[in-house]
């Protein structure tokens, strides 16, 4: 099984994990590592330890970050150079996580899950609108 680690600035990872658990239930091999100002000095070590621990228990690790270029992303990328079969996806959103926990099987590979996460993550961002005047026209016909 591929393990997942969710990280990001502030309460990003705890909030997203809370929403994921509410929708999809508790997940096996899924950990969060928070990056907060008061613990910034220990963040790199905490993330590295979480990835190492997850890597020992799983066939690979997929790290989900809030955005590219920030400390969580940069630290995650450095860890990929130290351990095999660890990948990073930035721009994590809730539709992506819901899909990826449902798509994960014992036969999943890190590469397959990365491709799925990126595709679904993009599809999860959209713009919708309702035409307010359309609703008003229906009322006038009655």
């Amino acid at each position: 099984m591929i393990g997942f680690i969710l990280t990001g600035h502030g309460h990003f990872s705890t909030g997203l994990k809370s929403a994921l658990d509410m929708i999809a239930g508790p997940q096996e091999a899924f950990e969060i590592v928070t990056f907060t100002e008061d613990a910034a000095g220990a963040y790199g070590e905490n993330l590295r330890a979480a990835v190492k621990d997850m890597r020992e228990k799983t066939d690979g690790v997929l790290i989900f970050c809030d955005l590219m270029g920030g400390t969580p992303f940069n630290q995650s990328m450095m860890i990929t150079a130290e351990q095999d079969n660890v990948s990073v996806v930035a721009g994590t959103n809730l539709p992506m996580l819901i899909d990826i926990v449902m798509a994960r099987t014992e036969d999943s590979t890190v590469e397959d899950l990365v491709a799925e996460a990126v595709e679904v993550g993009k599809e999860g961002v959209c713009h919708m609108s309702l035409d307010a005047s359309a609703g008003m026209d229906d009322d006038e016909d009655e």
Side-chain angles (χ1 to χ4, degrees), residues 77-113:
M77 290 303 296
M78 287 191 282
I79 291 168
T80 65
E82 301 168 3
Q83 297 200 36
D84 68 323
N85 214 18
V86 177
S87 286
V88 179
V89 172
T92 302
N93 60 37
L94 186 56
M96 173 194 294
L97 288 179
I98 292 168
D99 181 85
I100 211 70
V101 299
M102 301 297 188
R104 177 173 60 167
T105 67
E106 290 296 325
D107 297 329
S108 297
T109 66
V110 169
E111 295 80 15
D112 292 341
L113 293 173

Side-chain angles (χ1 to χ4, degrees), residues 107-127:
D107 297 329
S108 297
T109 66
V110 169
E111 295 80 15
D112 292 341
L113 293 173
V114 166
E116 176 83 8
V118 170
E119 183 65 29
V120 172
K122 290 178 187 177
E123 291 172 2
V125 177
C126 62
H127 172 256

Side-chain angles (χ1 to χ4, degrees), residues 43-102:
Y43 174 75
E45 291 176 27
N46 293 341
L47 181 61
R48 189 167 275 103
V51 172
K52 183 177 186 237
D53 182 55
M54 183 71 73
R55 186 62 190 94
E56 290 172 358
K57 297 186 288 190
T58 63
D59 299 321
V61 177
L62 185 47
I63 305 171
F64 294 94
C65 297
D66 53 357
L67 63 114
M68 185 171 59
T71 298
F73 174 81
N74 294 336
Q75 289 290 318
S76 296
M77 290 303 296
M78 287 191 282
I79 291 168
T80 65
E82 301 168 3
Q83 297 200 36
D84 68 323
N85 214 18
V86 177
S87 286
V88 179
V89 172
T92 302
N93 60 37
L94 186 56
M96 173 194 294
L97 288 179
I98 292 168
D99 181 85
I100 211 70
V101 299
M102 301 297 188

